[in-house]
Amino acid sequence: MTMRATEASKKLDELYSELESVRGMSESEVCSKYNADCKQDIEDIIEEEIEALKSYDCDDYGEDDGMDYINLQLSQGLPVIRW
């Protein structure tokens, strides 16, 4: 599955929020919530996910997204303006 830049940005926001939440929790809260051995493990995992997502090459197609818009418009009875 590929991700668009807006999806990646939203996921990054969620990960940063989760990381801040984890950092604000006690060791026992984190271990209980995430079924982990220690808080640092969870922080490391979230930070790794953030770094991986930051380096992810998103699929933002500027001009051609693969959709045949002309035939779509024709199938819906819409006028087609060709440039």
Side-chain angles (χ1 to χ4, degrees), residues 4-82:
R4 296 217 182 247
T6 53
E7 294 167 325
S9 178
K10 182 180 176 191
K11 182 65 177 171
L12 267 175
D13 289 344
E14 291 170 1
L15 287 169
Y16 280 121
S17 177
E18 183 175 13
L19 182 60
E20 286 304 310
S21 176
V22 166
R23 287 180 174 160
M25 293 177 176
S26 69
E27 182 85 17
S28 62
E29 288 174 312
V30 173
C31 291
S32 175
K33 180 177 180 178
Y34 292 92
N35 193 24
D37 292 331
C38 71
K39 180 177 176 176
Q40 188 61 50
D41 288 346
I42 300 304
E43 287 182 18
D44 291 345
I45 289 169
I46 296 171
E47 288 170 353
E48 286 172 16
E49 287 183 36
I50 288 171
E51 289 307 311
L53 198 52
K54 284 167 68 175
S55 65
Y56 184 77
D57 186 19
C58 298
D59 287 334
D60 274 339
Y61 301 105
E63 292 187 28
D64 184 13
D65 63 0
M67 175 59 102
D68 185 354
Y69 289 101
I70 292 175
N71 281 326
L72 176 63
Q73 287 173 292
L74 290 172
S75 72
Q76 295 176 344
L78 299 170
V80 175
I81 300 172
R82 298 175 196 230

